[in-house]
Amino acid sequence: MSSATERLEPALRSNADALLAYLERRIGPDDAPDALAEVMTVAWRRERDLPAESDQARMWLYGIARNVLANAHRSRVRRHRLAHRLRILASAAPSAAADDGAEVRSAIAALDPGLAEIVRLRHWEGFSLAEIAQILDEPASTVRSRYSRAREQLAAALGEPTEAASSSRVRS
Amino acid sequence: MTHTLDERLDSSAPATTAPTADRAEALRHLISATGPRRRTRLRAGAAVAGGLALLGVGSVAAADAWGWTSWWADDAVSEVTYTLPSGAVCEGILGNFRGAAEEVQAAEEFMAQPDLLDRVDVETHYADARAANYVAILDDGIEVDAGPGTPYWSADDRYAQAVGLATSDALHDHLRDVGVLERLSYEAESRCPGLVPAELRSREIRSDW
Protein backbone atom coordinates (compact mmCIF):
# COMPACT_ATOMS: atom_id res chain seq x y z
CA MET A 1 0.00 0.00 0.00
CA SER A 2 1.38 3.38 -0.98
CA SER A 3 2.07 6.09 1.54
CA ALA A 4 -0.76 8.19 0.15
CA THR A 5 -3.16 5.26 0.49
CA GLU A 6 -2.04 4.72 4.06
CA ARG A 7 -2.79 8.36 4.81
CA LEU A 8 -6.02 8.70 2.84
CA GLU A 9 -7.94 5.96 4.59
CA PRO A 10 -7.56 7.50 8.08
CA ALA A 11 -8.29 10.92 6.61
CA LEU A 12 -11.53 9.59 5.17
CA ARG A 13 -12.40 7.82 8.39
CA SER A 14 -11.90 10.91 10.51
CA ASN A 15 -13.84 13.16 8.14
CA ALA A 16 -16.58 10.84 6.86
CA ASP A 17 -19.22 11.89 9.38
CA ALA A 18 -18.55 15.58 8.85
CA LEU A 19 -18.51 15.19 5.07
CA LEU A 20 -21.79 13.30 5.16
CA ALA A 21 -23.35 16.02 7.31
CA TYR A 22 -22.01 18.68 4.95
CA LEU A 23 -23.56 16.90 1.97
CA GLU A 24 -26.83 16.30 3.81
CA ARG A 25 -27.12 20.00 4.55
CA ARG A 26 -26.57 20.85 0.90
CA ILE A 27 -28.55 18.24 -1.01
CA GLY A 28 -30.52 16.38 1.63
CA PRO A 29 -30.13 13.03 3.38
CA ASP A 30 -31.47 11.02 0.46
CA ASP A 31 -28.83 12.04 -2.07
CA ALA A 32 -25.95 12.70 0.33
CA PRO A 33 -24.75 9.06 0.60
CA ASP A 34 -24.35 8.86 -3.16
CA ALA A 35 -22.49 12.14 -3.23
CA LEU A 36 -20.26 10.91 -0.42
CA ALA A 37 -19.48 7.75 -2.39
CA GLU A 38 -18.51 9.97 -5.29
CA VAL A 39 -16.32 12.12 -3.03
CA MET A 40 -14.52 9.03 -1.77
CA THR A 41 -14.10 7.63 -5.26
CA VAL A 42 -12.59 10.87 -6.49
CA ALA A 43 -10.37 11.11 -3.41
CA TRP A 44 -9.00 7.62 -4.00
CA ARG A 45 -8.46 8.41 -7.67
CA ARG A 46 -6.50 11.52 -6.70
CA GLU A 47 -4.83 10.08 -3.61
CA ARG A 48 -1.41 11.21 -4.76
CA ASP A 49 -2.58 14.80 -4.35
CA LEU A 50 -3.49 14.27 -0.69
CA PRO A 51 -1.76 16.94 1.44
CA ALA A 52 0.56 15.65 4.14
CA GLU A 53 -0.95 17.61 7.02
CA SER A 54 -4.26 16.37 8.41
CA ASP A 55 -5.78 19.86 8.47
CA GLN A 56 -4.81 20.37 4.86
CA ALA A 57 -6.16 16.95 4.00
CA ARG A 58 -9.49 17.95 5.53
CA MET A 59 -9.62 21.08 3.36
CA TRP A 60 -8.69 18.98 0.35
CA LEU A 61 -11.57 16.58 0.98
CA TYR A 62 -14.05 19.42 1.36
CA GLY A 63 -12.74 20.87 -1.88
CA ILE A 64 -13.54 17.58 -3.60
CA ALA A 65 -16.95 17.50 -1.93
CA ARG A 66 -17.68 20.99 -3.15
CA ASN A 67 -16.86 20.00 -6.73
CA VAL A 68 -19.02 16.90 -6.43
CA LEU A 69 -21.87 19.10 -5.22
CA ALA A 70 -21.39 21.42 -8.17
CA ASN A 71 -21.76 18.45 -10.48
CA ALA A 72 -24.69 17.12 -8.47
CA HIS A 73 -26.50 20.40 -8.93
CA ARG A 74 -25.99 20.19 -12.67
CA SER A 75 -27.40 16.71 -12.97
CA ARG A 76 -29.27 14.37 -10.71
CA VAL A 77 -27.00 12.59 -8.28
CA ARG A 78 -26.04 9.23 -9.71
CA ARG A 79 -27.13 6.30 -7.57
CA HIS A 80 -24.19 4.41 -6.21
CA ARG A 81 -24.86 0.82 -5.36
CA LEU A 82 -22.10 1.12 -2.78
CA ALA A 83 -24.00 3.85 -0.97
CA HIS A 84 -27.24 1.93 -0.83
CA ARG A 85 -26.86 0.65 2.72
CA LEU A 86 -25.76 4.03 3.98
CA ARG A 87 -28.78 5.59 2.26
CA ILE A 88 -31.13 3.16 3.97
CA LEU A 89 -29.53 3.80 7.35
CA ALA A 90 -29.64 7.54 6.83
CA SER A 91 -33.31 7.48 5.95
CA ALA A 92 -34.07 5.35 9.01
CA ALA A 93 -31.93 7.31 11.46
CA PRO A 94 -33.68 9.85 13.62
CA SER A 95 -32.88 13.35 12.54
CA ALA A 96 -31.99 16.19 14.80
CA ALA A 97 -34.91 18.17 16.15
CA ALA A 98 -36.56 20.44 13.63
CA ASP A 99 -34.99 23.85 13.77
CA ASP A 100 -36.57 27.24 13.31
CA GLY A 101 -33.91 28.56 10.97
CA ALA A 102 -36.00 28.56 7.83
CA GLU A 103 -36.06 32.33 7.62
CA VAL A 104 -32.30 32.53 7.99
CA ARG A 105 -31.72 29.78 5.43
CA SER A 106 -33.93 31.62 2.99
CA ALA A 107 -31.95 34.79 3.54
CA ILE A 108 -28.71 32.91 2.95
CA ALA A 109 -30.11 31.28 -0.17
CA ALA A 110 -31.05 34.71 -1.50
CA LEU A 111 -27.42 35.83 -1.41
CA ASP A 112 -25.13 35.56 -4.38
CA PRO A 113 -24.23 31.83 -4.48
CA GLY A 114 -20.57 32.54 -3.80
CA LEU A 115 -21.39 34.61 -0.72
CA ALA A 116 -23.91 32.04 0.48
CA GLU A 117 -21.35 29.28 0.32
CA ILE A 118 -18.92 31.26 2.46
CA VAL A 119 -21.62 31.83 5.06
CA ARG A 120 -22.62 28.17 5.07
CA LEU A 121 -19.05 26.96 5.37
CA ARG A 122 -18.45 29.40 8.21
CA HIS A 123 -21.62 28.90 10.22
CA TRP A 124 -22.82 25.42 9.29
CA GLU A 125 -19.50 23.62 8.94
CA GLY A 126 -17.52 25.72 11.41
CA PHE A 127 -14.59 26.58 9.21
CA SER A 128 -12.47 29.65 9.76
CA LEU A 129 -12.29 32.17 6.94
CA ALA A 130 -8.69 31.12 6.27
CA GLU A 131 -9.83 27.52 5.91
CA ILE A 132 -12.70 28.55 3.67
CA ALA A 133 -10.21 30.38 1.46
CA GLN A 134 -8.34 27.11 1.04
CA ILE A 135 -11.47 25.12 0.23
CA LEU A 136 -12.60 27.69 -2.31
CA ASP A 137 -9.06 28.20 -3.58
CA GLU A 138 -9.40 31.94 -3.24
CA PRO A 139 -7.23 34.56 -1.48
CA ALA A 140 -8.06 34.90 2.21
CA SER A 141 -8.47 38.65 1.83
CA THR A 142 -11.10 38.11 -0.84
CA VAL A 143 -13.00 35.67 1.33
CA ARG A 144 -12.88 38.07 4.30
CA SER A 145 -14.28 40.95 2.31
CA ARG A 146 -16.97 38.79 0.72
CA TYR A 147 -17.96 37.40 4.11
CA SER A 148 -18.23 40.91 5.46
CA ARG A 149 -20.46 41.88 2.56
CA ALA A 150 -22.60 38.80 3.10
CA ARG A 151 -23.08 39.65 6.76
CA GLU A 152 -24.20 43.15 5.92
CA GLN A 153 -26.75 41.83 3.47
CA LEU A 154 -27.96 39.19 5.92
CA ALA A 155 -28.28 41.71 8.73
CA ALA A 156 -30.43 43.89 6.50
CA ALA A 157 -32.54 40.98 5.32
CA LEU A 158 -33.11 39.61 8.82
CA GLY A 159 -33.78 42.93 10.49
CA GLU A 160 -30.65 42.88 12.58
CA PRO A 161 -28.94 46.14 13.52
CA THR A 162 -26.58 47.17 10.75
CA GLU A 163 -23.50 47.75 12.80
CA ALA A 164 -19.97 47.19 11.62
CA ALA A 165 -19.74 43.70 10.24
CA SER A 166 -16.50 42.78 11.89
CA SER A 167 -16.87 40.14 14.53
CA SER A 168 -14.71 38.87 17.30
CA ARG A 169 -16.13 35.44 16.61
CA VAL A 170 -14.76 35.34 13.14
CA ARG A 171 -11.71 33.13 13.09
CA SER A 172 -9.20 33.96 10.43
CA MET B 1 -26.00 42.82 15.87
CA THR B 2 -22.96 40.57 15.67
CA HIS B 3 -23.83 38.30 18.54
CA THR B 4 -27.46 37.80 17.54
CA LEU B 5 -26.68 37.42 13.87
CA ASP B 6 -23.95 34.88 14.57
CA GLU B 7 -26.26 32.88 16.77
CA ARG B 8 -29.00 32.90 14.18
CA LEU B 9 -26.61 31.89 11.42
CA ASP B 10 -25.02 29.16 13.52
CA SER B 11 -28.39 27.67 14.40
CA SER B 12 -29.76 27.80 10.88
CA ALA B 13 -27.92 24.70 9.69
CA PRO B 14 -30.37 22.13 8.31
CA ALA B 15 -30.89 19.03 10.40
CA THR B 16 -28.73 16.04 9.56
CA THR B 17 -29.13 12.36 10.24
CA ALA B 18 -27.88 11.10 13.57
CA PRO B 19 -24.69 9.06 13.69
CA THR B 20 -25.21 5.48 14.77
CA ALA B 21 -23.01 2.41 15.09
CA ASP B 22 -24.60 0.95 11.95
CA ARG B 23 -23.96 4.15 10.05
CA ALA B 24 -20.34 4.20 11.19
CA GLU B 25 -19.96 0.65 9.96
CA ALA B 26 -21.56 1.57 6.63
CA LEU B 27 -19.16 4.49 6.29
CA ARG B 28 -16.19 2.24 6.97
CA HIS B 29 -17.44 -0.15 4.32
CA LEU B 30 -17.91 2.70 1.87
CA ILE B 31 -14.36 3.91 2.44
CA SER B 32 -13.05 0.43 1.85
CA ALA B 33 -15.31 -0.30 -1.10
CA THR B 34 -14.41 2.90 -2.93
CA GLY B 35 -10.72 2.42 -2.26
CA PRO B 36 -7.94 0.88 -4.28
CA ARG B 37 -8.95 -2.67 -3.43
CA ARG B 38 -11.88 -2.47 -5.81
CA ARG B 39 -9.64 -1.00 -8.46
CA THR B 40 -7.13 -3.77 -8.13
CA ARG B 41 -5.48 -4.93 -11.27
CA LEU B 42 -4.74 -8.55 -11.79
CA ARG B 43 -1.15 -9.06 -10.87
CA ALA B 44 1.35 -11.36 -12.44
CA GLY B 45 1.83 -14.78 -11.04
CA ALA B 46 4.54 -16.80 -12.67
CA ALA B 47 5.16 -15.96 -16.28
CA VAL B 48 3.20 -18.33 -18.45
CA ALA B 49 4.16 -20.25 -21.55
CA GLY B 50 5.56 -18.26 -24.41
CA GLY B 51 6.92 -15.53 -22.18
CA LEU B 52 3.50 -14.08 -21.52
CA ALA B 53 2.85 -12.23 -18.34
CA LEU B 54 -0.01 -10.51 -16.65
CA LEU B 55 0.88 -7.06 -15.52
CA GLY B 56 -0.15 -5.20 -12.43
CA VAL B 57 1.27 -1.91 -13.55
CA GLY B 58 -0.20 1.29 -14.86
CA SER B 59 -2.22 3.99 -13.27
CA VAL B 60 -5.93 4.38 -12.83
CA ALA B 61 -5.71 7.53 -14.87
CA ALA B 62 -4.31 5.53 -17.74
CA ALA B 63 -7.11 3.02 -17.42
CA ASP B 64 -9.67 5.80 -17.29
CA ALA B 65 -8.32 7.03 -20.58
CA TRP B 66 -9.77 3.97 -22.20
CA GLY B 67 -13.19 5.57 -21.95
CA TRP B 68 -15.30 2.66 -20.82
CA THR B 69 -18.82 2.76 -22.17
CA SER B 70 -20.60 0.37 -19.79
CA TRP B 71 -23.04 2.18 -17.54
CA TRP B 72 -21.51 0.46 -14.50
CA ALA B 73 -17.93 1.38 -15.39
CA ASP B 74 -17.56 3.92 -12.58
CA ASP B 75 -18.50 1.24 -10.09
CA ALA B 76 -16.33 -1.47 -11.61
CA VAL B 77 -15.08 -3.93 -9.05
CA SER B 78 -11.78 -4.70 -10.75
CA GLU B 79 -9.61 -3.32 -13.47
CA VAL B 80 -7.58 -5.85 -15.37
CA THR B 81 -4.38 -5.23 -17.26
CA TYR B 82 -2.30 -7.86 -18.99
CA THR B 83 -0.08 -8.28 -21.99
CA LEU B 84 -1.09 -10.39 -24.92
CA PRO B 85 1.26 -12.76 -26.76
CA SER B 86 1.82 -10.03 -29.35
CA GLY B 87 2.97 -7.66 -26.64
CA ALA B 88 -0.14 -5.50 -26.91
CA VAL B 89 -1.71 -4.42 -23.65
CA CYS B 90 -5.23 -5.56 -22.96
CA GLU B 91 -7.36 -3.84 -20.34
CA GLY B 92 -10.71 -4.78 -18.97
CA ILE B 93 -13.15 -4.00 -16.20
CA LEU B 94 -15.51 -6.27 -14.28
CA GLY B 95 -18.70 -5.08 -12.70
CA ASN B 96 -22.49 -5.10 -12.49
CA PHE B 97 -22.46 -8.18 -10.29
CA ARG B 98 -25.98 -9.50 -9.79
CA GLY B 99 -27.37 -12.29 -7.68
CA ALA B 100 -28.18 -12.93 -4.06
CA ALA B 101 -26.75 -10.33 -1.69
CA GLU B 102 -24.29 -12.72 -0.04
CA GLU B 103 -23.28 -14.08 -3.40
CA VAL B 104 -22.59 -10.65 -4.85
CA GLN B 105 -20.64 -9.55 -1.81
CA ALA B 106 -18.48 -12.68 -1.86
CA ALA B 107 -17.92 -12.36 -5.60
CA GLU B 108 -16.90 -8.71 -5.42
CA GLU B 109 -14.54 -9.37 -2.54
CA PHE B 110 -12.98 -12.25 -4.41
CA MET B 111 -12.49 -10.30 -7.61
CA ALA B 112 -10.99 -7.37 -5.76
CA GLN B 113 -8.20 -9.36 -4.16
CA PRO B 114 -4.75 -7.94 -4.88
CA ASP B 115 -3.40 -11.48 -5.30
CA LEU B 116 -6.28 -12.68 -7.42
CA LEU B 117 -4.03 -14.22 -10.06
CA ASP B 118 -2.52 -16.51 -7.48
CA ARG B 119 -5.94 -18.13 -7.61
CA VAL B 120 -6.50 -17.80 -11.33
CA ASP B 121 -4.95 -20.45 -13.55
CA VAL B 122 -4.54 -18.68 -16.86
CA GLU B 123 -1.62 -20.91 -17.87
CA THR B 124 -3.66 -24.10 -17.82
CA HIS B 125 -6.55 -22.53 -19.67
CA TYR B 126 -4.26 -21.14 -22.34
CA ALA B 127 -2.50 -24.50 -22.68
CA ASP B 128 -5.94 -26.12 -23.11
CA ALA B 129 -6.76 -23.54 -25.76
CA ARG B 130 -3.57 -24.32 -27.67
CA ALA B 131 -4.19 -28.05 -27.43
CA ALA B 132 -7.76 -27.86 -28.71
CA ASN B 133 -8.84 -28.52 -32.27
CA TYR B 134 -9.82 -25.64 -34.53
CA VAL B 135 -11.36 -25.71 -37.98
CA ALA B 136 -11.82 -22.70 -40.26
CA ILE B 137 -14.53 -22.73 -42.90
CA LEU B 138 -13.18 -21.15 -46.08
CA ASP B 139 -15.29 -19.27 -48.60
CA ASP B 140 -15.62 -22.34 -50.81
CA GLY B 141 -16.79 -24.43 -47.87
CA ILE B 142 -13.56 -26.32 -47.43
CA GLU B 143 -12.57 -26.94 -43.81
CA VAL B 144 -8.92 -26.37 -42.86
CA ASP B 145 -6.92 -26.54 -39.67
CA ALA B 146 -7.09 -23.23 -37.78
CA GLY B 147 -4.91 -24.12 -34.80
CA PRO B 148 -1.61 -22.58 -33.65
CA GLY B 149 0.81 -21.96 -36.50
CA THR B 150 -1.91 -21.45 -39.11
CA PRO B 151 -2.99 -18.08 -40.56
CA TYR B 152 -6.30 -18.47 -38.78
CA TRP B 153 -4.89 -18.70 -35.28
CA SER B 154 -4.97 -15.64 -33.05
CA ALA B 155 -2.91 -16.21 -29.94
CA ASP B 156 -4.03 -12.85 -28.59
CA ASP B 157 -7.68 -13.73 -28.96
CA ARG B 158 -7.31 -17.12 -27.30
CA TYR B 159 -5.16 -15.75 -24.52
CA ALA B 160 -7.71 -13.05 -23.71
CA GLN B 161 -10.40 -15.72 -23.62
CA ALA B 162 -8.22 -17.84 -21.34
CA VAL B 163 -7.92 -14.94 -18.91
CA GLY B 164 -11.68 -14.55 -18.85
CA LEU B 165 -12.35 -18.26 -18.42
CA ALA B 166 -9.72 -18.69 -15.74
CA THR B 167 -11.08 -15.77 -13.79
CA SER B 168 -14.67 -16.96 -14.10
CA ASP B 169 -13.78 -20.53 -13.12
CA ALA B 170 -11.83 -19.41 -10.08
CA LEU B 171 -14.66 -17.17 -8.99
CA HIS B 172 -17.30 -19.87 -9.30
CA ASP B 173 -15.08 -22.40 -7.52
CA HIS B 174 -14.68 -19.95 -4.67
CA LEU B 175 -18.41 -19.26 -4.42
CA ARG B 176 -19.12 -22.99 -4.38
CA ASP B 177 -16.50 -23.47 -1.66
CA VAL B 178 -18.14 -20.88 0.58
CA GLY B 179 -21.62 -22.15 -0.26
CA VAL B 180 -23.14 -19.02 -1.75
CA LEU B 181 -23.21 -19.78 -5.47
CA GLU B 182 -26.76 -19.42 -6.74
CA ARG B 183 -27.36 -17.30 -9.78
CA LEU B 184 -24.42 -14.93 -10.04
CA SER B 185 -23.89 -12.96 -13.19
CA TYR B 186 -21.55 -10.14 -13.98
CA GLU B 187 -20.33 -8.17 -16.94
CA ALA B 188 -16.97 -7.36 -18.41
CA GLU B 189 -15.79 -4.78 -20.86
CA SER B 190 -12.40 -5.07 -22.45
CA ARG B 191 -10.25 -3.21 -24.88
CA CYS B 192 -7.65 -5.37 -26.54
CA PRO B 193 -6.18 -3.56 -29.55
CA GLY B 194 -5.42 -5.75 -32.52
CA LEU B 195 -6.84 -8.78 -30.80
CA VAL B 196 -8.26 -10.44 -33.87
CA PRO B 197 -6.65 -10.11 -37.32
CA ALA B 198 -8.97 -8.59 -39.89
CA GLU B 199 -9.00 -11.75 -41.97
CA LEU B 200 -10.38 -13.72 -39.03
CA ARG B 201 -13.19 -11.41 -38.05
CA SER B 202 -15.73 -12.76 -40.52
CA ARG B 203 -14.31 -16.25 -40.72
CA GLU B 204 -16.24 -19.02 -39.01
CA ILE B 205 -13.92 -21.03 -36.82
CA ARG B 206 -15.14 -24.04 -34.89
CA SER B 207 -13.31 -25.50 -31.94
CA ASP B 208 -13.74 -28.07 -29.22
CA TRP B 209 -12.20 -25.79 -26.58
Side-chain angles (χ1 to χ4, degrees), chain A residues 5 9 12-13 16-17 20-21 24-25 29 33 36-37 40-41 44-45 78-83 85-86 89-90 93-97 99 101 103-105 108 119 123-124 147 151 154-155 158 160-167 169, chain B residues 1-39 58-61 64 71-77 95-97 104 108:
Chain A
T5 300
E9 181 158 341
L12 286 172
R13 284 180 185 269
D17 275 317
L20 181 60
E24 285 181 347
R25 291 183 190 110
L36 181 61
M40 290 179 177
T41 300
W44 282 114
R45 190 176 296 150
R78 187 169 57 82
R79 291 290 185 185
H80 277 263
R81 179 185 49 74
L82 295 169
R85 174 157 175 74
L86 185 59
L89 289 169
S95 298
D99 61 310
E103 180 191 7
V104 179
R105 287 197 295 275
I108 294 172
V119 172
H123 291 277
W124 294 2
Y147 176 66
R151 289 180 63 89
L154 287 170
L158 296 170
E160 295 287 341
T162 53
E163 300 172 1
S166 61
S167 168
R169 296 189 63 199
Chain B
M1 66 110 180
T2 296
H3 180 66
T4 304
L5 181 61
D6 280 330
E7 283 186 345
R8 294 184 70 182
L9 291 172
D10 287 346
S11 62
S12 70
T16 59
T17 56
T20 64
D22 283 345
R23 194 182 87 165
E25 179 60 30
L27 284 172
R28 280 193 292 274
H29 176 71
L30 191 62
I31 292 168
S32 174
T34 55
R37 217 165 52 97
R38 59 181 286 273
R39 290 186 164 271
S59 67
V60 170
D64 290 344
W71 64 267
W72 45 265
D74 286 344
D75 285 326
V77 171
N96 193 23
F97 284 71
V104 168
E108 291 185 345

Side-chain angles (χ1 to χ4, degrees), chain B:
Chain B
M1 66 110 180
T2 296
H3 180 66
T4 304
L5 181 61
D6 280 330
E7 283 186 345
R8 294 184 70 182
L9 291 172
D10 287 346
S11 62
S12 70
T16 59
T17 56
T20 64
D22 283 345
R23 194 182 87 165
E25 179 60 30
L27 284 172
R28 280 193 292 274
H29 176 71
L30 191 62
I31 292 168
S32 174
T34 55
R37 217 165 52 97
R38 59 181 286 273
R39 290 186 164 271
T40 297
R41 286 171 166 71
L42 303 183
R43 297 181 188 284
V48 296
L52 309 179
L54 298 174
L55 302 179
V57 298
S59 67
V60 170
D64 290 344
W66 285 86
W68 304 111
T69 57
S70 298
W71 64 267
W72 45 265
D74 286 344
D75 285 326
V77 171
S78 294
E79 291 177 0
V80 184
T81 304
Y82 54 93
T83 52
L84 299 168
S86 67
V89 174
C90 188
E91 297 215 15
I93 53 173
L94 304 168
N96 193 23
F97 284 71
R98 287 163 293 177
E102 287 184 351
E103 186 180 30
V104 168
Q105 182 178 352
E108 291 185 345
E109 288 177 355
F110 180 83
M111 294 300 232
Q113 294 176 104
D115 61 345
L116 178 61
L117 275 204
D118 291 342
R119 306 160 190 266
V120 173
D121 191 1
V122 177
E123 186 177 357
T124 295
H125 280 78
Y126 186 58
D128 289 346
R130 291 179 59 84
N133 297 304
Y134 298 86
V135 174
I137 314 299
L138 302 185
D139 294 340
D140 55 8
I142 295 175
E143 297 183 354
V144 298
D145 178 23
T150 71
Y152 309 104
W153 171 258
S154 169
D156 281 359
D157 186 25
R158 298 301 174 187
Y159 186 76
Q161 290 182 41
V163 171
L165 282 172
T167 306
S168 176
D169 282 0
L171 171 63
H172 285 84
D173 286 347
H174 170 71
L175 296 181
R176 268 188 219 97
D177 289 346
V178 297
V180 297
L181 180 61
E182 289 185 36
R183 49 188 166 85
L184 181 79
S185 67
Y186 63 95
E187 294 182 48
E189 181 181 348
S190 63
R191 303 286 172 79
C192 302
L195 192 64
V196 180
E199 64 269 27
L200 294 184
R201 287 195 186 120
S202 59
R203 180 78 61 196
E204 179 184 354
I205 297 178
R206 298 173 185 159
S207 85
D208 57 3
W209 181 41

Side-chain angles (χ1 to χ4, degrees), chain A residues 67-86:
Chain A
N67 287 332
V68 167
L69 281 176
N71 291 330
H73 286 308
R74 280 193 286 271
S75 61
R76 191 171 185 277
V77 176
R78 187 169 57 82
R79 291 290 185 185
H80 277 263
R81 179 185 49 74
L82 295 169
H84 183 60
R85 174 157 175 74
L86 185 59

